[in-house]
Amino acid sequence: AQSVTQLDSQVPVFEEAPVELRCNYSSSVSVYLFWYVQYPNQGLQLLLKYLSGSTLVKGINGFEAEFNKSQTSFHLRKPSVHISDTAEYFCAVTRNTGGFKTIFGAGTRLFVKA
Amino acid sequence: GAGVSQTPSNKVTEKGKYVELRCDPISGHTALYWYRQSLGQGPEFLIYFQGTGAADDSGLPNDRFFAVRPEGSVSTLKIQRTERGDSAVYLCASSLGAPPETQYFGPGTRLLVL
């Protein structure tokens, strides 16, 4: 079975500062990794995903994430945040062979202050 | 084009009643997922359809929950003898295929069981 732990429930940060949202996962098999974002009053949308190959993945809106197999982590980063990045961010995993079930973390609320 | 739509957007019912929640996926998407999201939590997988068949229903919590997708497009999640603990936002997502294809989420149906 897979599980996902998002280490911070809330992250307040000032505008134009860098941010890192942490995600650790547990799995006995290889997985695909995802970050989703949920803006206020909107549905979830995909930010980026790791399938294989390069461990640094770039997504939409200037976000990137790095897959670290030894630490079983997939932290999300952005070098300079905007007010509009205020949202809930979810890390998720799916086993990469014969897997359909996507397991989500509890989410991290990013609050960008002016 | 049109995204995933879900109806109703809100549903209030009484304990013990039967409810149906509808999901209209993006046209041409063969894969469809149902999730349940409780307050302060990430989406919890319920069931995955590939075409008309449920390829993975391991997330359905008990036999009061049932989902169908008779023509491989619209899906209905059915909950019998509702309980207060069923109160949550029910999310639907569709994709072109199995993971790691990107899932596109609908806005959700907020179910409140009194």
Side-chain angles (χ1 to χ4, degrees):
Chain A
Q2 292 79 48
S3 67
V4 177
T5 302
Q6 292 187 241
L7 297 158
D8 307 292
S9 59
Q10 295 186 72
V11 174
V13 63
F14 284 104
E15 194 174 20
E16 297 184 7
V19 71
E20 179 179 81
L21 306 184
R22 298 180 293 167
C23 172
N24 284 90
Y25 70 93
S26 172
S27 178
S28 57
V29 298
S30 295
V31 295
Y32 300 124
L33 293 150
F34 308 83
W35 275 98
Y36 284 85
V37 61
Q38 188 169 32
Y39 296 105
N41 301 314
Q42 295 186 31
L44 282 106
Q45 63 183 90
L46 182 70
L47 266 181
L48 49 78
K49 58 184 171 183
Y50 172 78
L51 307 183
S52 64
S54 173
T55 57
L56 184 63
V57 181
K58 294 191 183 295
I60 61 171
N61 300 339
F63 283 93
E64 64 182 31
E66 184 148 24
F67 169 58
N68 187 319
K69 187 174 182 178
S70 63
Q71 296 188 6
T72 59
S73 68
F74 190 53
H75 300 333
L76 181 71
R77 302 187 186 104
K78 186 169 183 178
S80 175
V81 294
H82 303 289
I83 298 285
S84 60
D85 292 323
T86 294
E88 187 92 23
Y89 292 79
F90 295 94
C91 181
V93 302
T94 304
R95 57 186 295 169
N96 71 2
T97 50
F100 307 116
K101 180 185 297 190
T102 302
I103 307 299
F104 285 81
T108 297
R109 178 163 295 280
L110 176 64
F111 179 59
V112 182
K113 301 177 283 186
Chain B
V4 177
S5 62
Q6 293 186 244
T7 53
S9 54
N10 291 280
K11 176 72 178 178
V12 181
T13 191
E14 294 179 342
K15 180 175 178 295
K17 299 290 188 181
Y18 168 82
V19 297
E20 290 189 351
L21 312 179
R22 177 187 168 108
C23 173
D24 282 82
I26 293 172
S27 177
H29 281 194
T30 59
L32 186 145
Y33 304 76
W34 282 100
Y35 294 89
R36 177 169 68 175
Q37 187 173 19
S38 301
L39 199 61
Q41 299 297 317
E44 173 193 7
F45 172 86
L46 296 178
I47 188 169
Y48 166 79
F49 285 92
Q50 182 59 47
T52 59
D56 186 344
D57 65 357
S58 63
L60 294 177
N62 52 59
D63 62 5
R64 295 187 297 106
F65 288 74
F66 190 69
V68 295
R69 195 185 184 200
E71 298 178 357
S73 178
V74 171
S75 177
T76 305
L77 178 67
K78 307 180 181 194
I79 310 174
Q80 298 178 324
R81 305 184 303 281
T82 52
E83 300 177 356
R84 293 193 180 89
D86 298 335
S87 296
V89 176
Y90 289 82
L91 300 172
C92 175
S94 71
S95 66
L96 285 170
E101 290 289 346
T102 297
Q103 295 179 45
Y104 296 85
F105 283 80
T109 293
R110 188 174 299 275
L111 176 66
L112 177 60
V113 182
L114 300 176

